[in-house]
Amino acid sequence: MAEQPQSVSVNIDGAKISVPKGTLLVEAAKLVQKEIPVYCYHPKLGPAGLCRICLVEIEGMPKLQIACNTPVTDGMVVHTYNDKVNAGRRAVLEFFLLNHPLDCPICDKGGECDLQDFSMAYGQGASRLAEPKVSKPKAVDLGPTIVLDEERCIVCQRCVRFDDIITGERSLIVKDRGYRDIIATATDDPYRSNFSGNVTELCPVGALTSKTYRFKSRPWDLHRTTTTCTQCAVGCQMQVDERVGEVARTMSIPDDDAVSDGWLCDRGRYNIGFYRDERRLQTPLYRVDGQWTQVGWDDAFALWAKALREAVASGGEQSVGVLGGGRLLNEEAYLLQHLFRSLGVRNLDWRAGTQRQATPGSNAGSLQDLENAQAIVLVGESPAQLAPVMDLRIRKAVSRHRAKLIRVGAIDPLPVVACTTLESAAEVPKALPAGAERVALVWDGVDPKLAREVVAALSDFSGLKTFIASGQNNARGAEVMGMHPAFGPGFAEVDGGKDFSGMVAAARSHSLRALSIFGANPALHYPDGVAIREALRNVPFLAVADLFLTETAQAANLVLPACGGFEKTGTTVNVTAVALPVNAALEPPEGALTDLEMLGCLARALEVQLPSVTELENSVIKHLVATAPSFGLGDAKVCGTTQFGQASRTGGPKLIARTDIFSGGGTVAHDGRIESLRPLPEAAVSPACAQQLGLSTGDCCDLRSGDQTMHDLLVEVRPGLADDVVVVVAGLPDDPANALGFEPVAELINVRRARELAPVGVSP
Amino acid sequence: MARMHKSLYNVGALLKGLATTFGFMFVRRPTIEYPSVKKQHAPRFHGLHELRRYADAKERCIGCELCAVACPANAITVIGAENTPQDRRSPGERYAARYEIDELRCIFCGMCEEACPTDAIVLTPRFEMAGLRRGAFVYAKDRLLVPPTEGVGTAPDERPNGIPSDLGRVAEIKSTTDVQTGYDATNRGTILKKQRKGLAG
């Protein structure tokens, strides 16, 4: 009975329920299926008490009360729907509609608009306003992704509060007062955020709209599929809205608390135009004498099988390599390793870039562990650009759960929330808050030595939870399914083969005869650009399955058109080992096959027996469930001996490539709708370094290492960086960061001052 | 004897029938020689659709898809797009980038006309839509939209040449070569007229 004071009983429209003390009336009403209209209130943002639409009658109170900001009290008797309440709501709506334009026929929100719905339910038919409505600017460009219609805004401030409470970026404000108030950025700069698209979903009216979806469709035209986002390893649940064979938009699932917390990043939301890009591959291409020739699928499989057989016959199984899996589904990754291991091939790897490990092994935590941690240690690059929605959890932990954020080996810009940047792993235990028990360690998977040091430094903490933020969506699935040189499915130890850097070395020494690459672009992402280009040139037979003619595919002998994430059905594993369903929402273009179909046909051409669909599904589930890896972060068994990012410097700053959510050569580079979101090639240096070299933000420079040069980089002076590094953006097709080769010592040359550069659009 | 009586009786019936036929020789013929002669329609006849323009030649259609929602036969497809300052098709922000009506599906009920908030889609009295391919009956904007030079700003029955002349007044004219150059709502109208002239000449 000690629990008694903690719960209160309330009577809502005759239904009696008992709820925990402090529950808001609007939430209590949901439990008895009574709808209370809201605009400013949102479960994730909390009450604001601005819109006054949620009026209810509470017995004993003389006036109507707002349900969103009234905690229930014991014995409260509430009426959510009677004449008095409706009259109150009608009056509130009349004020909202005074200056609201009659845009419903052309408004993107029309059909799913709360203002429309509640006006139908509670509003009065006609306006009593005799004067003309106040007119305001209509298509205001708020930033690269969002358009604001100032007339339609009802100033509920959901967007402003999202930018304050959820992202912590605080760039949106309400400007001016009274009927003139509008949403704007505080600095009048464009509204730029990795999460900007969420405000269009939060907006209860059509004031904030996405540039990519503007006037494309009406809500009732869309065919909706629930699937998992396959852009990064968080695996946010999302809804894909398709119309006439095109993805019109993607929407988050607000009650997906387990994975995405109800938000999507802009990469997941806006990078959807590539599915119908005209540059997409529609037929297999075979290179004859340096010229691309279109071939049929039957010929493509025959050529592929013949090349693999010949390579095995002439050079042995060691002369065949496979790269891929991080962008495939579990079923495809399993089949991939099954097919090639059946041929005796041991050179299998998913690691096309710098990341060495995807499965944290022992001490692996869940996203809830991350949110509830008292201290979060980021090792290497933070998830801000690798797995943005994971970064939102970190911001939540810091800003709302008072966690301490610590960075070791940081290369990216300072996070939005307060953090401590450390130089070495040994300082970590001292920096932890006193009495901290729950510590989360988030590693980018690049530098195993650093990870081992941090884990060793934190070995006293029994509540340590580890995470590896992967840029590739199913890196963890690929590892579990056995796309790894040292492990078979379920981390069963097998005879070791070469990892990808081993394959690159073998290719350079002409001992690799055939290489098949599935959904990876090592030409752009492998750290040593000079080596990978030579390796891809030297392999006698290179087959690449991808959506586009990427930098890697351009070096191939055989290119196979594959399908994207919205065109496939299967499962994927997210960053915290949750298996998530992927459902096809879109018909693939004619001529493209999924990797699963490709592998099935290749197996037939090679006369390899594949498991049946049921067997395949069973083994995938078995390995997903029953895996208990014995290794930890940075274990040499998983990471191998290859180490990137350990430059043996001799003077001059060290070059580091950081990720940006909109960098990459595949889906981002081939999406015309998000052209303005792609990052500019930049060279970021610390303030001390900038002072030493006489640089300031906005200057333009070139970077040189040996005989390789990167041209025309914008200098950015960025606090929080180490003094001996230059950070460039990785994965830009026009300026590949790996162009300078492996472990380069960069030299800034040819510096042009910002004031000397002619402003864009002005002739000198 | 009985047979003869019977056949005599039949002759009576025959004469009666012939009298009926003969009687019609003095009645005005209800048939007309279509297509060289055409009949007057009811004033509010529902025929082929057209998309109207404002007096400044801007399209009335804003691509809101309310016609498509109202359509009981699901015959209308609209895909909207945004006006740009360089290419302004309609007043306001949105216009119909694609507007298609499957005239074989259409039941000519006029619900689209009722639903339209800008009076953009109207049904004309035009009814001649013969074709050899089913695909040819999907009318897109190129055939539905009024040409910018003609009849802008007014409903078809209020235009100077009113209901297309080749549908209304032709009944008195015997020769198709005399057909007045009527208002052609669509490019197809022009083509048809040329074809008809070709047939006559």
Side-chain angles (χ1 to χ4, degrees), chain A residues 105 214-215 218 221 243, chain B residues 64-65 78 80 82 93-94:
Chain A
R214 241 171 115 71
F215 305 143
R218 308 300 311 257
D221 295 320
R243 190 188 185 198
Chain B
C64 72
E65 303 187 25
V78 188
E82 189 167 8
E93 294 169 277
R94 183 178 180 137

Side-chain angles (χ1 to χ4, degrees), chain A residues 283-480:
Chain A
T283 165
L285 298 173
Y286 187 61
R287 197 208 295 270
V288 186
D289 302 329
Q291 293 291 312
W292 290 114
T293 314
Q294 293 189 351
V295 291
W297 275 106
D298 289 351
D299 295 338
F301 291 125
L303 286 163
W304 199 355
K306 182 164 156 273
L308 290 174
R309 276 209 205 90
E310 281 175 5
V312 172
S314 62
E317 289 89 4
Q318 274 300 311
S319 68
V320 179
V322 186
L323 173 71
R327 290 265 172 223
L328 304 186
L329 303 176
N330 290 329
E331 290 76 9
E332 295 170 338
Y334 182 84
L335 218 56
L336 181 60
Q337 63 86 29
H338 180 94
L339 170 59
F340 280 88
R341 285 216 163 95
S342 304
L343 296 174
V345 176
R346 284 177 288 153
N347 304 330
L348 303 153
D349 207 350
W350 65 268
R351 295 168 292 193
T354 51
Q355 197 185 347
R356 303 301 305 157
Q357 186 178 355
T359 313
S362 47
N363 295 334
S366 69
L367 287 169
Q368 280 67 33
D369 290 334
L370 181 63
E371 187 180 316
N372 295 322
Q374 290 160 313
I376 298 171
V377 184
L378 304 179
V379 182
E381 187 166 10
S382 88
Q385 308 288 340
L386 288 167
V389 175
M390 195 172 170
D391 186 46
L392 226 41
R393 289 256 180 200
I394 296 174
R395 293 184 196 180
K396 190 175 179 182
V398 175
S399 64
R400 278 187 277 169
H401 301 170
R402 305 282 171 88
K404 185 170 183 189
L405 187 63
I406 298 159
R407 305 197 303 169
V408 187
I411 57 168
D412 38 1
L414 279 175
V416 172
V417 288
C419 84
T420 313
T421 307
L422 302 178
E423 293 291 317
S424 72
E427 299 166 40
V428 175
K430 272 178 274 170
L432 292 180
E437 284 169 6
R438 301 184 303 275
V439 181
L441 167 52
V442 186
W443 179 40
D444 61 350
V446 175
D447 187 350
K449 186 164 152 275
L450 185 62
R452 282 197 299 269
E453 282 170 11
V454 178
V455 170
L458 293 170
S459 56
D460 293 345
F461 291 89
S462 55
L464 179 69
K465 296 289 180 192
T466 53
F467 302 84
I468 300 176
S470 313
Q472 295 188 33
N473 66 307
N474 201 21
R476 206 168 163 167
E479 240 164 44
V480 182

